[in-house]
Amino acid sequence: MNYVTYGGVTVGACLLVWQAITWWPGRKQLLKDPVKHASTLAPFLLSWAYGALTTLGVGGLIGTASSAVLGLSNWLGDAALVWGVGGRAGTLAARPTFVPLSAPGVAIVLILTVAFVAAAKKSRFGGEIKRGAWCGICLGTSASVAGFAAVPLALAANWLGGTVYGAIA
């Protein structure tokens, strides 16, 4: 089971803040061409959704990698809280509701993994794509506002998988 600590959520929030600050074009530029500037957030947001989706009980190598990233983020964040600012580490409550991925939903996650790896390797947004997935893994398990997307993401993956694989069968 994936769990998240204060440190893990802090790492995810730091990644989100980093992305927001480095993306911010300025008020004047944003008002001048909002669609252009908002569209540059798409790689981060899509990979955030992918990262959150991998925390939903996906097994195998993908689930193990996601759990390892979350565990490392929990440790790094807890260490930073305790030794960096003199705070305390602790486990947060996980999402109270959980929608497991169906077999077709898990197949969609595998397809998305191939797309994620290709995009992270070939796209000029590779850093943002990796940062988005890392952020999604850290925040997708929490029960807070950041975890709100996990249930709709699982439902969407299950629906898409059912639609795609139902059409093939």
Side-chain angles (χ1 to χ4, degrees), residues 67-157:
S67 292
V69 168
L70 181 59
L72 180 61
S73 299
N74 285 339
W75 183 85
L76 287 172
D78 288 344
L81 288 175
V82 171
W83 294 312
V85 294
R88 276 203 266 167
T91 303
L92 292 173
R95 267 186 321 273
T97 56
F98 178 74
V99 177
L101 291 170
S102 63
V106 171
I108 294 299
V109 172
L110 180 60
I111 294 166
L112 291 174
T113 300
V114 172
F116 170 78
V117 170
K121 186 172 183 168
K122 291 293 186 180
S123 172
R124 67 182 175 104
F125 298 105
E128 292 177 18
I129 290 169
K130 293 171 194 172
R131 192 167 38 254
W134 186 10
C135 183
I137 289 169
C138 291
L139 297 178
T141 308
S142 70
S144 65
V145 175
F148 76 97
V151 172
L153 286 172
L155 292 172

